[in-house]
């Protein structure tokens, strides 16, 4: 009996600011019914490196040339309750997904048909707390997970911790992947039914739009990685132009972490860390009171460049 082969799929989480949101680049699938991330197979016979292959098919599918790229994770688990990678591979061939994260300072119009920028909250509405606790958590997620947990204390502690169902527990914004995988494991994510060959109708769209293959899992990994990195590296500047106001900087951070920040404490933290400097210019296009323009302080030395942002969450 022929042993199953391994197919390698490369996927890109490309994120950029768009209309006050942090958007992710998506492409339509072959049937134009379901979107996914820019993705393609790795051909060991013709592709010299994973990254070069990734850059090539992202350019073909979207018309965009990526700048900064970072490998996220390799998804190759077998027998786990996780979304299954499907890359058009027939038979029993095993698919290994390698995800990448790319950041851009502007969501430029894609130069290819079928490519579109979408806010990450379209896929994960329960992750957006900027206007308060999302109603979907208490109306849909909490009842479903409470029934699943039953009297099991380990399960109960898990759902309480991940979704802050207990008033004593704070929302941990960086745990995006763990929350999504729990929804998949318990059957609430529509991808769970799809991977088991069951109808996906009836799954509430308030939980987020599904993506093809395991792409929503990869997107969750990318969003969680970006949220976590803000705390120890100033990566937010990769999502901003050369000059910005402190309000624009704060909104850019909030659009990533999905939580509101305390304005004065945030500004004090940014200036105390030495991450920005004044340009001496004023932004008069704010639509309100003119605001001072800042830029990233590039000559601050290695220590400042490895500092993250203080994120004073407004409770």
């Amino acid at each position: 009996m022929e042993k199953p082969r391994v197919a390698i799929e490369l996927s890109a989480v490309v994120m950029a600011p768009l209309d006050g949101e942090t958007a992710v680049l998506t492409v339509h699938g072959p049937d134009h019914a379901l979107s996914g991330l820019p993705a393609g197979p790795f051909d060991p016979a013709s592709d010299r490196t994973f990254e070069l292959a990734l850059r090539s098919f992202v350019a073909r599918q979207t018309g965009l040339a990526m700048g900064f790229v970072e490998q996220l994770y390799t998804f190759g688990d077998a027998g786990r309750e996780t979304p299954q990678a499907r890359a058009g591979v027939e038979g029993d061939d095993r698919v290994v997904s390698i995800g990448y994260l790319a950041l851009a300072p502007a969501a430029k119009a894609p130069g290819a048909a079928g490519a579109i920028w979408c806010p990450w909250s379209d896929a994960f509405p329960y992750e957006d707390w900027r206007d308060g606790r999302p109603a979907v958590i208490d109306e849909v997620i909490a009842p479903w997970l409470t029934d699943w947990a039953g009297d099991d204390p380990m399960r109960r502690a898990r759902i309480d911790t991940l979704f802050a169902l207990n008033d004593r527990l704070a929302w941990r914004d960086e745990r995006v992947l763990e929350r999504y995988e729990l929804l998949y494991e318990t059957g609430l994510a529509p991808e769970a039914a799809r991977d088991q060959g069951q109808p996906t109708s009836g799954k509430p769209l308030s939980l987020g739009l599904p993506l093809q293959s395991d792409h929503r899992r990869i997107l969750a990994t990318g969003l969680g990685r970006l949220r976590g990195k803000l705390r120890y590296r100033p990566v937010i500047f990769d999502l901003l132009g050369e000059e910005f106001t402190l309000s624009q900087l704060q909104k850019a951070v909030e659009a990533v972490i999905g939580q509101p920040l305390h304005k004065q404490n945030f500004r004090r933290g940014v200036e105390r860390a030495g991450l920005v400097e004044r340009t001496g210019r004023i932004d008069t296009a704010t639509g309100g009171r003119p605001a001072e323009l800042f830029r990233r302080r590039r000559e601050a030395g290695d220590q400042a460049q490895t500092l993250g942002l203080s994120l004073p969450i407004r409770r």
Side-chain angles (χ1 to χ4, degrees):
M1 183 177 182
E2 184 179 356
K3 293 183 178 180
R5 297 171 299 176
V6 173
I8 298 176
E9 182 188 51
L10 308 175
S11 304
V13 178
V14 185
M15 306 187 82
L18 178 67
D19 299 331
E21 301 291 337
T22 300
V24 61
L25 188 60
T26 62
V27 294
H28 284 297
D31 57 0
H32 296 279
L34 193 64
S35 295
L37 302 173
F42 175 77
D43 184 354
S46 59
D47 293 327
R48 189 159 59 88
T49 69
F50 289 154
E51 185 175 324
L52 289 176
L54 180 84
R55 290 179 181 276
S56 176
F57 65 68
V58 168
R60 290 197 307 271
Q61 293 178 16
T62 70
L64 297 178
M66 296 190 300
F68 166 83
V69 174
E70 172 184 289
Q71 187 175 135
L72 283 172
Y73 197 75
T74 298
F75 303 91
D77 308 321
R80 287 189 60 201
E81 289 290 347
T82 51
Q84 301 301 303
R86 298 287 185 267
V89 175
E90 301 295 335
D92 296 327
D93 286 0
R94 177 98 166 264
V95 177
V96 174
S97 291
I98 303 177
Y100 287 79
L101 174 66
L103 305 178
K108 296 181 180 179
I116 186 172
W117 291 97
C118 299
W120 58 256
S121 55
D122 284 0
F124 306 111
Y126 53 85
E127 294 285 344
D128 191 352
W129 289 58
R130 285 173 291 177
D131 294 324
R133 183 181 177 90
V136 67
I137 292 180
D138 296 317
E139 295 174 1
V140 179
I141 294 175
W144 179 280
L145 293 182
T146 299
D147 287 345
W148 170 78
D151 296 328
D152 188 322
M154 298 294 290
R155 286 186 172 185
R156 183 69 204 195
R158 184 179 171 196
I159 65 174
D160 285 351
T161 299
L162 290 179
F163 284 95
L165 302 186
N166 188 316
D167 291 339
R168 297 188 301 273
L169 298 171
W171 178 262
R172 296 283 301 278
D173 57 77
E174 72 275 13
R175 302 182 75 172
V176 188
L177 177 62
E178 292 173 81
R179 282 188 285 270
Y180 172 65
E181 288 193 329
L182 177 58
L183 296 182
Y184 183 97
E185 178 183 342
T186 60
L188 191 53
E191 290 92 338
R194 178 202 66 194
D195 290 347
Q196 296 174 18
Q198 300 174 359
T200 59
S201 59
K203 298 295 182 183
L205 291 179
S206 57
L207 289 172
L209 297 176
L211 299 176
Q212 66 185 29
S213 188
D214 61 343
H215 290 187
R216 198 148 66 122
R217 182 190 186 196
I218 296 173
L219 176 55
T221 306
L223 181 58
R225 171 75 64 84
L226 182 57
R227 287 176 168 183
K229 289 192 74 164
L230 289 180
R231 291 171 166 83
Y232 63 88
R233 287 192 67 85
V235 292
I236 192 62
F237 296 111
D238 290 316
L239 293 170
L240 288 166
E242 288 295 320
E243 297 182 352
F244 46 84
T245 67
L246 291 184
S247 290
Q248 290 169 340
L249 175 60
Q250 178 177 336
K251 290 184 181 300
V253 174
E254 292 173 337
V256 171
I257 66 174
Q259 297 192 82
L261 297 173
H262 188 281
K263 179 178 178 179
Q264 296 304 325
N265 290 346
F266 174 74
R267 293 189 174 196
R268 279 194 292 266
V270 169
E271 295 184 353
R272 186 167 52 244
L275 296 174
V276 300
E277 63 183 4
R278 290 174 167 83
T279 66
R281 288 184 289 277
I282 299 295
D283 183 6
T284 58
T286 58
R289 184 177 176 182
E292 187 175 7
L293 285 166
F294 289 76
R295 62 179 168 235
R296 181 179 182 179
R297 190 180 173 206
R298 299 188 182 279
E299 67 277 10
D302 293 339
Q303 182 179 2
Q305 300 311 306
T306 58
L307 288 174
L309 290 168
S310 173
L311 302 182
I313 307 298
R314 178 161 48 86
R315 304 298 182 188

